PDB file of all heavy atoms in Angstrom:
ATOM      1  N   ARG A   1      25.148 -37.218  96.707  1.00 75.00           N
ATOM      2  CA  ARG A   1      26.528 -37.571  96.414  1.00 75.00           C
ATOM      3  C   ARG A   1      26.892 -38.895  97.099  1.00 75.00           C
ATOM      4  O   ARG A   1      27.654 -38.933  98.047  1.00 75.00           O
ATOM      5  CB  ARG A   1      27.450 -36.433  96.835  1.00 75.00           C
ATOM      6  CG  ARG A   1      27.273 -35.207  95.968  1.00 75.00           C
ATOM      7  CD  ARG A   1      28.142 -34.071  96.375  1.00 75.00           C
ATOM      8  NE  ARG A   1      27.978 -32.916  95.468  1.00 75.00           N
ATOM      9  CZ  ARG A   1      28.426 -31.701  95.743  1.00 75.00           C
ATOM     10  NH1 ARG A   1      29.106 -31.488  96.853  1.00 75.00           N
ATOM     11  NH2 ARG A   1      28.227 -30.737  94.886  1.00 75.00           N
ATOM     12  N   THR A   2      26.256 -39.972  96.613  1.00 76.00           N
ATOM     13  CA  THR A   2      26.420 -41.288  97.181  1.00 76.00           C
ATOM     14  C   THR A   2      26.740 -42.279  96.084  1.00 76.00           C
ATOM     15  O   THR A   2      26.657 -41.933  94.897  1.00 76.00           O
ATOM     16  CB  THR A   2      25.136 -41.748  97.907  1.00 76.00           C
ATOM     17  OG1 THR A   2      24.061 -41.845  96.959  1.00 76.00           O
ATOM     18  CG2 THR A   2      24.725 -40.758  99.009  1.00 76.00           C
ATOM     19  N   ALA A   3      27.052 -43.519  96.463  1.00 79.00           N
ATOM     20  CA  ALA A   3      27.356 -44.557  95.508  1.00 79.00           C
ATOM     21  C   ALA A   3      26.163 -44.931  94.627  1.00 79.00           C
ATOM     22  O   ALA A   3      26.298 -45.259  93.455  1.00 79.00           O
ATOM     23  CB  ALA A   3      27.894 -45.819  96.195  1.00 79.00           C
ATOM     24  N   ASP A   4      24.975 -44.829  95.205  1.00 84.00           N
ATOM     25  CA  ASP A   4      23.726 -45.165  94.472  1.00 84.00           C
ATOM     26  C   ASP A   4      22.725 -44.016  94.685  1.00 84.00           C
ATOM     27  O   ASP A   4      21.837 -44.099  95.515  1.00 84.00           O
ATOM     28  CB  ASP A   4      23.167 -46.494  94.989  1.00 84.00           C
ATOM     29  CG  ASP A   4      21.985 -46.958  94.131  1.00 84.00           C
ATOM     30  OD1 ASP A   4      21.459 -46.191  93.310  1.00 84.00           O
ATOM     31  OD2 ASP A   4      21.601 -48.158  94.307  1.00 84.00           O
ATOM     32  N   PRO A   5      22.873 -42.960  93.891  1.00 83.00           N
ATOM     33  CA  PRO A   5      22.029 -41.784  94.132  1.00 83.00           C
ATOM     34  C   PRO A   5      20.535 -42.024  93.957  1.00 83.00           C
ATOM     35  O   PRO A   5      19.719 -41.422  94.693  1.00 83.00           O
ATOM     36  CB  PRO A   5      22.537 -40.741  93.109  1.00 83.00           C
ATOM     37  CG  PRO A   5      23.441 -41.443  92.196  1.00 83.00           C
ATOM     38  CD  PRO A   5      23.875 -42.718  92.849  1.00 83.00           C
ATOM     39  N   LYS A   6      20.132 -42.934  93.053  1.00 89.00           N
ATOM     40  CA  LYS A   6      18.703 -43.182  92.914  1.00 89.00           C
ATOM     41  C   LYS A   6      18.141 -43.880  94.162  1.00 89.00           C
ATOM     42  O   LYS A   6      17.051 -43.543  94.637  1.00 89.00           O
ATOM     43  CB  LYS A   6      18.366 -44.026  91.670  1.00 89.00           C
ATOM     44  CG  LYS A   6      16.865 -44.125  91.479  1.00 89.00           C
ATOM     45  CD  LYS A   6      16.444 -44.805  90.202  1.00 89.00           C
ATOM     46  CE  LYS A   6      14.917 -44.746  90.073  1.00 89.00           C
ATOM     47  NZ  LYS A   6      14.442 -45.485  88.911  1.00 89.00           N
ATOM     48  N   ALA A   7      18.880 -44.808  94.715  1.00 91.00           N
ATOM     49  CA  ALA A   7      18.446 -45.467  95.950  1.00 91.00           C
ATOM     50  C   ALA A   7      18.386 -44.451  97.091  1.00 91.00           C
ATOM     51  O   ALA A   7      17.466 -44.468  97.922  1.00 91.00           O
ATOM     52  CB  ALA A   7      19.403 -46.613  96.325  1.00 91.00           C
ATOM     53  N   THR A   8      19.346 -43.537  97.124  1.00 88.00           N
ATOM     54  CA  THR A   8      19.355 -42.488  98.139  1.00 88.00           C
ATOM     55  C   THR A   8      18.138 -41.582  97.989  1.00 88.00           C
ATOM     56  O   THR A   8      17.445 -41.264  98.957  1.00 88.00           O
ATOM     57  CB  THR A   8      20.648 -41.631  98.045  1.00 88.00           C
ATOM     58  OG1 THR A   8      21.769 -42.506  98.191  1.00 88.00           O
ATOM     59  CG2 THR A   8      20.696 -40.563  99.113  1.00 88.00           C
ATOM     60  N   LEU A   9      17.866 -41.181  96.736  1.00 90.00           N
ATOM     61  CA  LEU A   9      16.704 -40.343  96.467  1.00 90.00           C
ATOM     62  C   LEU A   9      15.425 -41.055  96.895  1.00 90.00           C
ATOM     63  O   LEU A   9      14.550 -40.440  97.528  1.00 90.00           O
ATOM     64  CB  LEU A   9      16.642 -40.005  94.975  1.00 90.00           C
ATOM     65  CG  LEU A   9      15.474 -39.079  94.539  1.00 90.00           C
ATOM     66  CD1 LEU A   9      15.658 -37.679  95.090  1.00 90.00           C
ATOM     67  CD2 LEU A   9      15.360 -39.052  93.020  1.00 90.00           C
ATOM     68  N   THR A  10      15.312 -42.350  96.597  1.00 93.00           N
ATOM     69  CA  THR A  10      14.110 -43.100  96.942  1.00 93.00           C
ATOM     70  C   THR A  10      13.942 -43.181  98.449  1.00 93.00           C
ATOM     71  O   THR A  10      12.837 -43.029  98.983  1.00 93.00           O
ATOM     72  CB  THR A  10      14.186 -44.522  96.357  1.00 93.00           C
ATOM     73  OG1 THR A  10      14.333 -44.410  94.924  1.00 93.00           O
ATOM     74  CG2 THR A  10      12.956 -45.329  96.669  1.00 93.00           C
ATOM     75  N   SER A  11      15.057 -43.369  99.158  1.00 94.00           N
ATOM     76  CA  SER A  11      15.036 -43.427 100.605  1.00 94.00           C
ATOM     77  C   SER A  11      14.577 -42.088 101.210  1.00 94.00           C
ATOM     78  O   SER A  11      13.740 -42.045 102.115  1.00 94.00           O
ATOM     79  CB  SER A  11      16.414 -43.812 101.126  1.00 94.00           C
ATOM     80  OG  SER A  11      16.446 -43.751 102.515  1.00 94.00           O
ATOM     81  N   ILE A  12      15.130 -41.002 100.661  1.00 91.00           N
ATOM     82  CA  ILE A  12      14.745 -39.654 101.140  1.00 91.00           C
ATOM     83  C   ILE A  12      13.268 -39.418 100.842  1.00 91.00           C
ATOM     84  O   ILE A  12      12.523 -38.916 101.698  1.00 91.00           O
ATOM     85  CB  ILE A  12      15.615 -38.567 100.431  1.00 91.00           C
ATOM     86  CG1 ILE A  12      17.075 -38.686 100.888  1.00 91.00           C
ATOM     87  CG2 ILE A  12      15.076 -37.165 100.723  1.00 91.00           C
ATOM     88  CD1 ILE A  12      18.048 -37.851 100.066  1.00 91.00           C
ATOM     89  N   TYR A  13      12.844 -39.800  99.667  1.00 95.00           N
ATOM     90  CA  TYR A  13      11.443 -39.640  99.246  1.00 95.00           C
ATOM     91  C   TYR A  13      10.508 -40.349 100.197  1.00 95.00           C
ATOM     92  O   TYR A  13       9.536 -39.802 100.703  1.00 95.00           O
ATOM     93  CB  TYR A  13      11.297 -40.152  97.828  1.00 95.00           C
ATOM     94  CG  TYR A  13       9.901 -40.132  97.241  1.00 95.00           C
ATOM     95  CD1 TYR A  13       9.423 -38.989  96.602  1.00 95.00           C
ATOM     96  CD2 TYR A  13       9.053 -41.248  97.318  1.00 95.00           C
ATOM     97  CE1 TYR A  13       8.161 -38.959  96.062  1.00 95.00           C
ATOM     98  CE2 TYR A  13       7.777 -41.228  96.777  1.00 95.00           C
ATOM     99  CZ  TYR A  13       7.339 -40.073  96.158  1.00 95.00           C
ATOM    100  OH  TYR A  13       6.069 -40.053  95.620  1.00 95.00           O
ATOM    101  N   ASP A  14      10.821 -41.625 100.465  1.00 96.00           N
ATOM    102  CA  ASP A  14       9.971 -42.438 101.349  1.00 96.00           C
ATOM    103  C   ASP A  14       9.883 -41.846 102.754  1.00 96.00           C
ATOM    104  O   ASP A  14       8.821 -41.876 103.380  1.00 96.00           O
ATOM    105  CB  ASP A  14      10.494 -43.893 101.429  1.00 96.00           C
ATOM    106  CG  ASP A  14      10.317 -44.639 100.129  1.00 96.00           C
ATOM    107  OD1 ASP A  14       9.512 -44.201  99.268  1.00 96.00           O
ATOM    108  OD2 ASP A  14      10.984 -45.672  99.937  1.00 96.00           O
ATOM    109  N   ALA A  15      10.969 -41.269 103.228  1.00 95.00           N
ATOM    110  CA  ALA A  15      11.001 -40.682 104.564  1.00 95.00           C
ATOM    111  C   ALA A  15      10.260 -39.349 104.616  1.00 95.00           C
ATOM    112  O   ALA A  15       9.623 -39.023 105.623  1.00 95.00           O
ATOM    113  CB  ALA A  15      12.461 -40.505 105.014  1.00 95.00           C
ATOM    114  N   ARG A  16      10.315 -38.592 103.542  1.00 95.00           N
ATOM    115  CA  ARG A  16       9.774 -37.232 103.565  1.00 95.00           C
ATOM    116  C   ARG A  16       8.298 -37.110 103.172  1.00 95.00           C
ATOM    117  O   ARG A  16       7.625 -36.194 103.632  1.00 95.00           O
ATOM    118  CB  ARG A  16      10.605 -36.321 102.632  1.00 95.00           C
ATOM    119  CG  ARG A  16      11.985 -36.056 103.184  1.00 95.00           C
ATOM    120  CD  ARG A  16      12.762 -35.131 102.269  1.00 95.00           C
ATOM    121  NE  ARG A  16      14.076 -34.822 102.803  1.00 95.00           N
ATOM    122  CZ  ARG A  16      14.946 -34.029 102.228  1.00 95.00           C
ATOM    123  NH1 ARG A  16      14.658 -33.444 101.077  1.00 95.00           N
ATOM    124  NH2 ARG A  16      16.142 -33.794 102.800  1.00 95.00           N
ATOM    125  N   VAL A  17       7.820 -37.997 102.305  1.00 96.00           N
ATOM    126  CA  VAL A  17       6.439 -37.876 101.838  1.00 96.00           C
ATOM    127  C   VAL A  17       5.413 -37.775 102.972  1.00 96.00           C
ATOM    128  O   VAL A  17       4.527 -36.911 102.916  1.00 96.00           O
ATOM    129  CB  VAL A  17       6.085 -39.003 100.824  1.00 96.00           C
ATOM    130  CG1 VAL A  17       4.577 -39.141 100.644  1.00 96.00           C
ATOM    131  CG2 VAL A  17       6.763 -38.711  99.473  1.00 96.00           C
ATOM    132  N   PRO A  18       5.515 -38.575 104.038  1.00 97.00           N
ATOM    133  CA  PRO A  18       4.543 -38.433 105.133  1.00 97.00           C
ATOM    134  C   PRO A  18       4.548 -37.054 105.753  1.00 97.00           C
ATOM    135  O   PRO A  18       3.531 -36.575 106.237  1.00 97.00           O
ATOM    136  CB  PRO A  18       4.980 -39.507 106.150  1.00 97.00           C
ATOM    137  CG  PRO A  18       5.706 -40.530 105.325  1.00 97.00           C
ATOM    138  CD  PRO A  18       6.433 -39.738 104.262  1.00 97.00           C
ATOM    139  N   VAL A  19       5.702 -36.376 105.731  1.00 97.00           N
ATOM    140  CA  VAL A  19       5.776 -35.026 106.272  1.00 97.00           C
ATOM    141  C   VAL A  19       5.188 -34.029 105.281  1.00 97.00           C
ATOM    142  O   VAL A  19       4.425 -33.121 105.643  1.00 97.00           O
ATOM    143  CB  VAL A  19       7.232 -34.634 106.634  1.00 97.00           C
ATOM    144  CG1 VAL A  19       7.291 -33.252 107.238  1.00 97.00           C
ATOM    145  CG2 VAL A  19       7.821 -35.683 107.602  1.00 97.00           C
ATOM    146  N   TYR A  20       5.533 -34.187 103.994  1.00 97.00           N
ATOM    147  CA  TYR A  20       4.976 -33.307 102.964  1.00 97.00           C
ATOM    148  C   TYR A  20       3.441 -33.376 102.943  1.00 97.00           C
ATOM    149  O   TYR A  20       2.781 -32.397 102.629  1.00 97.00           O
ATOM    150  CB  TYR A  20       5.513 -33.649 101.583  1.00 97.00           C
ATOM    151  CG  TYR A  20       6.991 -33.387 101.384  1.00 97.00           C
ATOM    152  CD1 TYR A  20       7.743 -34.251 100.569  1.00 97.00           C
ATOM    153  CD2 TYR A  20       7.635 -32.322 101.972  1.00 97.00           C
ATOM    154  CE1 TYR A  20       9.092 -34.034 100.370  1.00 97.00           C
ATOM    155  CE2 TYR A  20       8.998 -32.105 101.764  1.00 97.00           C
ATOM    156  CZ  TYR A  20       9.722 -32.951 100.957  1.00 97.00           C
ATOM    157  OH  TYR A  20      11.056 -32.726 100.746  1.00 97.00           O
ATOM    158  N   GLN A  21       2.903 -34.548 103.288  1.00 97.00           N
ATOM    159  CA  GLN A  21       1.442 -34.704 103.292  1.00 97.00           C
ATOM    160  C   GLN A  21       0.757 -33.813 104.337  1.00 97.00           C
ATOM    161  O   GLN A  21      -0.449 -33.626 104.286  1.00 97.00           O
ATOM    162  CB  GLN A  21       1.087 -36.180 103.532  1.00 97.00           C
ATOM    163  CG  GLN A  21       1.383 -37.046 102.330  1.00 97.00           C
ATOM    164  CD  GLN A  21       1.212 -38.537 102.591  1.00 97.00           C
ATOM    165  OE1 GLN A  21       1.284 -38.999 103.740  1.00 97.00           O
ATOM    166  NE2 GLN A  21       1.008 -39.322 101.537  1.00 97.00           N
ATOM    167  N   LYS A  22       1.554 -33.260 105.248  1.00 97.00           N
ATOM    168  CA  LYS A  22       1.004 -32.351 106.260  1.00 97.00           C
ATOM    169  C   LYS A  22       0.810 -30.933 105.697  1.00 97.00           C
ATOM    170  O   LYS A  22       0.288 -30.044 106.405  1.00 97.00           O
ATOM    171  CB  LYS A  22       1.905 -32.288 107.468  1.00 97.00           C
ATOM    172  CG  LYS A  22       2.031 -33.618 108.199  1.00 97.00           C
ATOM    173  CD  LYS A  22       3.004 -33.491 109.368  1.00 97.00           C
ATOM    174  CE  LYS A  22       3.174 -34.839 110.083  1.00 97.00           C
ATOM    175  NZ  LYS A  22       4.083 -34.756 111.234  1.00 97.00           N
ATOM    176  N   ALA A  23       1.270 -30.687 104.496  1.00 97.00           N
ATOM    177  CA  ALA A  23       1.151 -29.348 103.895  1.00 97.00           C
ATOM    178  C   ALA A  23      -0.300 -28.931 103.790  1.00 97.00           C
ATOM    179  O   ALA A  23      -1.217 -29.772 103.689  1.00 97.00           O
ATOM    180  CB  ALA A  23       1.819 -29.323 102.521  1.00 97.00           C
ATOM    181  N   ASP A  24      -0.543 -27.618 103.795  1.00 97.00           N
ATOM    182  CA  ASP A  24      -1.893 -27.078 103.722  1.00 97.00           C
ATOM    183  C   ASP A  24      -2.579 -27.423 102.404  1.00 97.00           C
ATOM    184  O   ASP A  24      -3.776 -27.704 102.359  1.00 97.00           O
ATOM    185  CB  ASP A  24      -1.886 -25.559 103.897  1.00 97.00           C
ATOM    186  CG  ASP A  24      -1.263 -25.144 105.227  1.00 97.00           C
ATOM    187  OD1 ASP A  24      -1.727 -25.648 106.267  1.00 97.00           O
ATOM    188  OD2 ASP A  24      -0.339 -24.304 105.216  1.00 97.00           O
ATOM    189  N   LEU A  25      -1.794 -27.386 101.316  1.00 97.00           N
ATOM    190  CA  LEU A  25      -2.347 -27.637  99.983  1.00 97.00           C
ATOM    191  C   LEU A  25      -1.384 -28.550  99.235  1.00 97.00           C
ATOM    192  O   LEU A  25      -0.194 -28.590  99.534  1.00 97.00           O
ATOM    193  CB  LEU A  25      -2.499 -26.299  99.218  1.00 97.00           C
ATOM    194  CG  LEU A  25      -3.413 -25.263  99.853  1.00 97.00           C
ATOM    195  CD1 LEU A  25      -3.252 -23.907  99.153  1.00 97.00           C
ATOM    196  CD2 LEU A  25      -4.858 -25.718  99.777  1.00 97.00           C
ATOM    197  N   SER A  26      -1.935 -29.261  98.252  1.00 97.00           N
ATOM    198  CA  SER A  26      -1.091 -30.168  97.447  1.00 97.00           C
ATOM    199  C   SER A  26      -1.435 -30.031  95.975  1.00 97.00           C
ATOM    200  O   SER A  26      -2.633 -29.891  95.639  1.00 97.00           O
ATOM    201  CB  SER A  26      -1.334 -31.604  97.909  1.00 97.00           C
ATOM    202  OG  SER A  26      -0.656 -32.498  97.094  1.00 97.00           O
TER     203      SER A  26
END
């Protein structure tokens, strides 16, 4: 719920992917 939701999503994505990569399986 921001002025530029796609930019927000991209920012969240970039921050979270390195953590998701720690998952046991992909």
Side-chain angles (χ1 to χ4, degrees):
R1 290 179 179 168
T2 63
D4 187 348
K6 187 173 184 185
T8 303
L9 181 69
T10 302
S11 174
I12 294 169
Y13 178 87
D14 291 342
R16 290 182 178 181
V17 163
V19 182
Y20 294 145
Q21 288 172 337
K22 297 178 181 181
D24 301 308
L25 300 167
S26 174

